[in-house]
Amino acid sequence: MRRVIVALLMIPAVGIAIDHSKLDYGRPLQIDDADPLAFGEMAIEFGASISVNRSRKPDYRFEAAYLYGFAPAMHLELSAEPSLTNSKSEFGVGLFIGIKRETDKLPATAIKLGYHNSDGENELSARAILTGQIGAIGKWHLNGEAIFALNAPTDQRKTRFAGAIGYSTPIGLPNDFSQTFIVAFNIAQNTHVGESAMGLLGIGLRKQIGVREVIALGIESDLFGVVGLSRPSLRLTLGLTSSF
Amino acid sequence: MLAAVLVAAQFPAWMTSPRPMEVFRLRASHNDAVYSIPRLARDLNAVDVGHATAYEALVTGREGVLESQVWNQIVRTLKNPPRFKPDEKAIAPTFARLYGELELVFDWAHVLHAQTIDVLASNLSDAQKEAEIERLWHFYRSRAPYSISGLPLNMEFLDSRPYSGNFRIKYPKVNALFWGYHWLQAAMYDMLYRVPRDMWELSYDVVREQYFERELWDTNRDFMPMFAEQSPRFAARFPELANAFDNLHMLHDMVNDILADNSLDANQKRHEIRMAIWMVLDSTHANCESGEGEEKTLHDHRHMNGMAGMGMMVGSTPELMYMPRMGWMSMEECHHCSMFMPDNDMRWRRSTVSIDGWTMEVRCPLCARDMAAQYLGRAILRLPTEDPNKLLVLVGDELGNYTSTMKGVVFLEMEGEHPECNRWSYAFTSIEAFRKYVSENPQYKDARPYTLEQWSALAGKKPATYERKQGPVDNPYKNWHKGPAR
């Protein structure tokens, strides 16, 4: 079951852009918004997280990512997670494609295609992303993802689905223009055949701390589907993004 | 003619496409160097907030409180500017959603604005800065399809649309803020261009005082501040950038006027905004040349004589224009003695004087000092020396006492007739340079070298050559948007 937790909480966190209002997968919550990196923009990201549960030792993770807007509305993501607490190292490659920006009638739309390798286990993924305005300054976000395990054992799903819904809003306006509050709910099919889906709720803050630097701070907790483990399982995430 | 031009308008494909197409700025070591002048950087950040806040109010039904609550909110930000450049889309999400194509145009031009200021505020040499600004201009034009034209456009034509003038008439206080921002964004270029680094903060003291004491609140300004009126040295060296920034600011005015026009429905506003964008796009004027074009049309690319970085203004001819607060004038002549200004290879010999919100080119240090003395307030004088690479910058107090960080500066002032004033009034970086000049020009052998303090206390005679220009009307902007133009 621990593997289940890892599958949901430790999805590689690559994301984009410098704006604090930009939702950035893993910085700090596991949800994307539909804005691609600007053409020519590069960013580096660092993230550290700790997952805690009363029944096991804390799990520390560190990850780094590089992003490059190599074409209009498209960017490439390269991520790596050297392991700190076990022998598992992971890396991923992603292609983010902005399909349309938000207009008067329709939300912004994007897709993200990914390849992820975790200790020899290969996965491909395709994520659809929608973002739209809600209220005066808020944004809603919807992610739907299909993940294809290329060499899954027989007791695990070869294809599973995940989704996330989130809300973000700048906070502090009109006096402070440097921070965004985020809340997201994730749900994902269990990697193991026959086990229930998992749910996760998180809140986070993205704050600009430098001319081109944004930090992200978040806390996520599983809500259901983690059979056999004492709750809560929490993950704290701290991320830093710098674009150039 | 107008109808034919407008009917012929073909919106480029990107304008009607919802595809995201943001382009990142040129990657360079000078990026964000404006933060070396922290107050300027923060004030510019507040300008971004001001723009975005007003636009969001205009498109979310808050126009009724634009002159009260929204104005107060913007002013609070201007007085407490943010540390970092704000994300305008977070402040104005509705505006960005409704007018995404306009956001692209604005953002890309604002990137050029920001990066050119970064270059000027960087540690690069003057020559490197000029080369880098050329590179930025090329990058701006070539990297994205939504760049604004660097050609002079006829401002009278652009400001004669059916909706023109709405915003400034209905929302004079917020319009004053917009024009105040654009004043600062124009004035900051000559404040930095070829100006020694140790004079930036001193100069910004004066500029900032003017910005906060008058420019942001001036509801009686006749027209938006023009770039070449505020930064004539930079505009002469980089006319395409000066024109692009004026065209950008004109686009802001046109958009404001459209949004403030209650006779237009949402679709009509969107169409008019696209039309306004189209009129200022680089691609719209692809085959046009600066200095050419049919009078008072979209493709009127004539410019003021002596200033390729300034298009035709309301009521102007290439020889004569009306400058708000100053009256009619020629941009080829000294504004103090009316003699022709040095040009081409000798253009660097021009001096400028900035006071009371305007900047004027003059022929010599005496003209600069004496012209400044005619006005209340603090002045900045930018005077060439014998070395083309060393500009003397003087910052004055209310009484006309000047300070500079250039040590050892001395002046020649042996007043004679003004046709020769740029020979008998001269600033030198050192006494040695003064002596060399006098030895090469024996007619000044009896001249004494004045220190800055001594020179500041001098006053010349009123130039006999001065001629006050007269235009066809007293002020062409009077009733501009209340009379036949509408």
Side-chain angles (χ1 to χ4, degrees):
Chain A
M1 187 52 62
R2 178 174 176 172
R3 195 168 180 176
V4 174
I5 300 292
V6 169
L8 188 59
L9 289 180
M10 307 305 171
I11 294 170
V14 292
I16 63 169
I18 181 62
D19 291 336
H20 61 84
S21 59
K22 179 81 189 71
L23 284 209
D24 190 1
Y25 195 93
R27 300 287 179 277
L29 307 183
Q30 291 167 46
I31 191 164
D32 257 322
D33 73 8
D35 287 339
L37 216 61
F39 177 32
E41 185 172 10
M42 293 184 188
I44 51 172
E45 301 195 330
F46 301 99
S49 63
I50 176 172
S51 297
V52 294
N53 187 287
R54 282 197 294 267
S55 66
R56 56 188 167 91
K57 289 181 182 175
D59 191 13
Y60 302 96
R61 312 280 294 190
F62 172 80
E63 53 199 332
Y66 165 78
L67 300 87
Y68 176 46
F70 67 96
M74 283 194 267
H75 70 259
L76 186 69
E77 308 177 354
L78 302 173
S79 65
E81 289 188 51
S83 172
L84 300 180
T85 53
N86 57 43
S87 61
K88 264 179 111 172
S89 290
E90 304 183 15
F91 71 91
V93 180
L95 175 65
F96 190 106
I97 304 169
I99 296 171
K100 66 178 289 298
R101 58 178 163 74
E102 188 182 5
T103 61
D104 191 20
K105 297 182 175 65
L106 293 169
T109 311
I111 57 171
K112 188 152 113 177
L113 307 175
Y115 165 75
H116 181 231
N117 179 294
S118 174
D119 202 24
E121 296 174 15
N122 298 306
E123 288 181 346
L124 296 176
S125 62
R127 183 182 305 154
I129 305 162
L130 299 175
T131 291
Q133 186 179 350
I134 182 169
I137 53 173
K139 294 277 185 184
W140 60 263
H141 313 275
L142 194 61
N143 291 187
E145 184 171 37
I147 302 158
F148 309 97
L150 300 183
N151 46 355
T154 52
D155 63 335
Q156 292 187 18
R157 286 188 169 89
K158 292 192 184 312
T159 301
R160 62 186 193 276
F161 297 95
I165 185 167
Y167 171 78
S168 64
T169 183
I171 54 173
L173 298 183
N175 301 313
D176 188 323
F177 305 92
S178 67
Q179 54 198 4
T180 295
F181 170 78
I182 312 155
V183 58
F185 170 71
N186 293 70
I187 187 165
Q189 274 189 307
N190 203 303
T191 53
H192 287 254
V193 176
E195 295 192 7
S196 63
M198 303 168 291
L200 185 73
L201 184 67
I203 58 171
L205 179 75
R206 285 175 59 85
K207 184 170 180 62
Q208 188 172 2
I209 58 163
V211 175
R212 302 297 302 172
E213 290 80 37
V214 169
I215 59 165
L217 183 64
I219 182 167
E220 293 168 300
S221 173
D222 63 275
L223 294 179
F224 56 81
V226 192
V227 180
L229 287 178
S230 57
R231 295 178 186 181
S233 180
L234 292 174
R235 180 169 92 153
L236 300 169
T237 301
L238 179 64
L240 172 68
T241 304
S242 178
S243 76
F244 51 94
Chain B
M1 181 63 199
L2 170 62
V5 167
L6 298 186
V7 168
Q10 297 283 325
F11 294 145
W14 68 265
M15 200 189 288
T16 50
S17 165
R19 187 119 198 269
M21 54 182 77
E22 290 182 347
V23 175
F24 196 59
R25 63 183 179 177
L26 180 69
R27 193 167 293 106
S29 62
H30 50 68
N31 285 346
D32 305 312
V34 68
Y35 284 91
S36 67
I37 314 168
R39 290 179 303 166
L40 174 61
R42 294 182 68 147
D43 288 339
L44 293 174
N45 292 340
V47 165
D48 290 346
V49 176
H51 273 127
T53 304
Y55 281 134
E56 188 68 2
L58 275 170
V59 299
T60 53
R62 297 188 71 211
E63 60 268 32
V65 292
L66 197 61
E67 291 279 276
S68 51
Q69 287 178 25
V70 176
W71 185 88
N72 286 331
Q73 179 183 323
I74 293 171
V75 169
R76 272 199 305 274
T77 302
L78 293 170
K79 292 181 176 177
N80 301 282
R83 280 177 67 201
F84 306 120
K85 191 172 179 60
D87 175 6
E88 289 185 57
K89 282 184 185 169
I91 303 168
T94 310
F95 183 76
R97 180 165 55 85
L98 294 176
Y99 303 109
E101 62 275 21
L102 178 63
E103 277 283 301
L104 285 172
V105 177
F106 278 161
D107 285 353
W108 190 227
H110 291 160
V111 164
L112 180 67
H113 240 322
Q115 288 208 278
T116 47
I117 284 301
D118 284 338
V119 169
L120 294 178
S122 72
N123 289 322
L124 299 174
S125 69
D126 286 341
Q128 288 171 323
K129 287 177 182 179
E130 302 214 359
E132 196 62 10
I133 289 170
E134 296 281 9
R135 190 164 78 105
L136 284 172
W137 174 243
H138 176 74
F139 183 80
Y140 171 75
R141 290 189 72 191
S142 62
R143 189 72 165 177
Y146 38 80
S147 57
I148 289 176
S149 176
L151 288 170
L153 300 184
N154 187 305
M155 294 294 147
E156 181 173 339
F157 173 84
L158 295 177
D159 201 39
S160 300
R161 310 276 61 78
Y163 48 75
S164 295
N166 276 317
F167 191 76
R168 70 201 74 164
I169 293 168
K170 290 173 76 172
Y171 309 112
K173 288 167 63 182
V174 176
N175 185 66
L177 294 180
F178 268 81
W179 284 359
Y181 312 148
H182 297 168
W183 178 89
L184 176 65
Q185 289 175 323
M188 65 188 178
Y189 282 83
D190 267 13
M191 189 190 88
L192 298 174
Y193 177 57
R194 287 189 165 267
V195 169
R197 186 182 190 89
D198 56 8
M199 291 302 296
W200 294 349
E201 287 282 356
L202 280 171
S203 296
Y204 194 53
D205 283 342
V206 179
V207 171
R208 193 168 195 267
E209 187 177 300
Q210 180 70 23
Y211 177 58
F212 276 105
E213 291 196 356
R214 178 167 184 187
E215 304 303 334
L216 284 168
W217 330 116
D218 186 358
T219 55
N220 291 317
R221 191 193 293 274
D222 293 315
F223 199 76
M224 70 173 196
M226 295 293 288
F227 197 95
E229 291 174 346
Q230 305 304 327
S231 284
R233 295 164 52 249
F234 187 90
R237 173 62 183 82
F238 298 103
E240 290 179 310
L241 278 99
N243 289 323
F245 293 143
D246 282 339
N247 299 337
L248 164 69
H249 292 166
M250 192 66 227
L251 179 60
H252 271 294
D253 278 6
M254 294 164 85
V255 168
N256 291 350
D257 289 339
I258 293 166
L259 293 178
D261 191 334
N262 293 337
S263 71
L264 301 175
D265 64 27
N267 287 333
Q268 288 170 325
K269 285 182 179 178
R270 178 171 293 118
H271 178 79
E272 289 294 347
I273 283 177
R274 286 181 173 171
M275 187 67 78
I277 294 170
W278 177 82
M279 284 195 267
V280 302
L281 281 182
D282 198 11
S283 55
T284 303
H285 305 277
N287 299 313
C288 301
E289 294 287 336
S290 178
E292 298 178 355
E294 188 180 344
E295 287 185 25
K296 298 185 181 180
T297 66
L298 179 63
H299 293 301
D300 180 358
H301 301 306
R302 296 171 302 148
H303 53 73
M304 301 307 300
N305 287 349
M307 181 51 77
M310 181 138 177
M312 291 292 102
M313 302 296 293
V314 173
S316 73
T317 64
E319 297 78 26
L320 209 58
M321 63 170 274
Y322 183 88
M323 186 168 164
R325 299 181 187 170
M326 297 297 289
W328 291 93
M329 53 190 50
S330 160
M331 298 198 85
E332 296 178 284
E333 298 175 4
C334 173
H335 300 293
H336 186 63
C337 70
S338 300
M339 300 309 300
F340 269 93
M341 303 284 277
D343 209 349
N344 302 319
D345 291 348
M346 295 304 291
R347 190 175 186 112
W348 67 274
R349 289 289 306 156
R350 296 185 183 192
S351 300
T352 63
V353 50
S354 300
I355 190 169
D356 198 31
W358 46 258
T359 294
M360 286 287 171
E361 290 191 298
V362 290
R363 279 187 102 217
C364 71
L366 177 144
C367 287
R369 182 198 62 212
D370 286 7
M371 190 170 181
Q374 295 171 17
Y375 295 86
L376 294 175
R378 300 174 68 192
I380 303 173
L381 310 185
R382 303 177 189 92
L383 312 176
T385 64
E386 81 289 349
D387 183 344
N389 295 314
K390 289 186 179 171
L391 185 72
L392 172 64
V393 181
L394 304 178
V395 173
D397 64 15
E398 303 279 352
L399 301 175
N401 301 307
Y402 288 98
T403 57
S404 173
T405 55
M406 186 182 284
K407 305 297 179 194
V409 62
V410 293
F411 295 84
L412 167 73
E413 186 164 311
M414 203 166 169
E415 193 169 0
E417 297 300 321
H418 271 266
E420 296 286 317
C421 67
N422 58 354
R423 296 185 60 78
W424 51 252
S425 175
Y426 218 117
F428 298 94
T429 57
S430 66
I431 188 68
E432 291 77 20
F434 171 89
R435 287 177 183 141
K436 182 170 182 287
Y437 181 81
V438 169
S439 70
E440 291 168 353
N441 297 274
Q443 66 270 37
Y444 306 126
K445 63 180 172 20
D446 296 328
R448 57 175 288 204
Y450 289 110
T451 64
L452 175 57
E453 186 179 4
Q454 292 167 332
W455 178 84
S456 297
L458 298 176
K461 303 187 200 90
K462 181 180 178 183
T465 51
Y466 177 68
E467 176 196 0
R468 184 170 180 80
K469 303 297 182 191
Q470 295 293 327
V473 294
D474 179 42
N475 179 350
Y477 295 100
K478 194 172 181 184
N479 298 322
W480 170 238
H481 287 119
K482 296 175 186 169
R486 298 208 69 194

